[in-house]
Structures are given as structure tokens and as C-alpha cells.
Amino acid sequence: MKALLWKDFHVNRHVLIAGVLLLLFPYIATTIAMFADYWHRSASGEITWEVAVDQWRWMLPRVAVWSLILSTLTIAVLGGNAVAGERADRSAEFLASMPVPRSRIILSKAVLAIGAAGLIWLVNLLVIYVPELPKDTTSQQAIQVEE
């Protein structure tokens, strides 16, 4: 089973790399845009660093939704490439001639697809729910006491 998983990972590595880029692209683009806006507005004194960070934290769960939408493309392409990619490079015929049960072949492809989908959902759910956690009030109270 380990060899089948490695083969499926190797065949689909380009799709998985594209999936990681699609997963991260909305976060990177939003971070760059938010900090460019901060640098532009902080020069004139319109915004402070704390306000910019709060805006960024407010924006992250909304960006996670876009990341999930883009990441569904990864799962769709991964599913198509799992079968069509093997047909194109003729490894499906070679694999069919091996003494490996078809159920193991399908299970290997399913484990890879479910693992990729699970990782995508895990990352995005963490981004959605972690900013909603309460802020550290002790550091905020210490700042207020010092003032």
C-alpha cells in the first residue's frame, strides 16, 4: 500500500503543488494588500499598527472562504488526474498487470484525495476559528496600566 501511495503522490505532485499555491494565494494577496494599505495610510497618520492588525484579523476568515473555493479546483483536478494521468503515461496498464487488487489501487487514490481535502479544510478552518478566539487581555491591561 505504501508503494501505491508513493506512486500516486509522485504522479499527482504537480496537482498537489498547484493546490498548495491555490490554498495560500488568497492569504498572501490579502496580506500584501492590507500591509500596503497600512504603509500608505500610516504615512499620513490615518491608521495605527493595532488597527491594521485588527483589520487583518477581521479579514482572514473571509479570505478563508475564497481559499476553500479555489481549493475545490485542486480536489477536482486531483480526481481527474488520478485516472486520466495514469492513462496518459500508460502506468494504468502496467498497474493492471501487477498482482495488486483493484480495491487497493482505488483505496490508494482515495487516501491521497481525502488527505489533500482534509489538509485544505484543516488549514482553512484553523484560519476561520483561531482569529475568533479571545485576545490576550493581560497584555492589553498591562498596556493600559502603563499609560
Side-chain angles (χ1 to χ4, degrees):
M1 182 71 175
K2 185 177 176 182
L4 283 174
L5 281 172
W6 178 251
K7 181 199 70 70
D8 283 333
F9 175 77
H10 183 71
V11 167
N12 294 302
R13 71 184 179 277
H14 300 295
V15 175
L16 293 170
I17 290 170
V20 168
L21 294 176
L22 282 175
L23 174 71
L24 297 178
F25 174 73
Y27 297 114
I28 293 169
T30 300
T31 302
I32 290 171
M34 296 290 286
F35 287 121
D37 180 55
Y38 164 72
W39 286 318
H40 175 60
R41 290 172 52 192
S42 67
S44 62
E46 293 178 41
I47 192 170
T48 64
W49 177 252
E50 290 79 17
V51 172
V53 170
D54 284 341
Q55 288 176 350
W56 183 70
R57 283 180 53 146
W58 179 84
M59 198 67 175
L60 278 180
R62 285 129 189 100
V63 173
V65 172
W66 285 105
S67 180
L68 278 172
I69 290 169
L70 287 175
S71 295
T72 56
L73 294 173
T74 303
I75 304 305
V77 172
L78 187 61
N81 194 46
V83 176
E86 285 191 356
R87 289 279 196 191
D89 68 0
R90 298 203 176 270
S91 61
E93 289 83 9
F94 176 72
L95 196 56
S97 69
M98 301 295 285
V100 179
R102 288 187 181 160
S103 60
R104 284 243 167 139
I105 297 170
I106 293 172
L107 180 65
S108 170
K109 294 176 186 332
V111 165
L112 184 69
I114 290 170
L119 184 65
I120 288 167
W121 276 91
L122 178 69
V123 168
N124 286 309
L125 287 176
L126 283 174
V127 169
I128 288 171
Y129 288 111
V130 168
E132 299 297 324
L133 295 175
K135 295 181 183 178
D136 183 21
T137 56
T138 57
S139 63
Q140 289 178 354
Q141 290 171 352
I143 291 171
Q144 289 174 354
V145 168
E146 289 175 6
E147 293 174 353

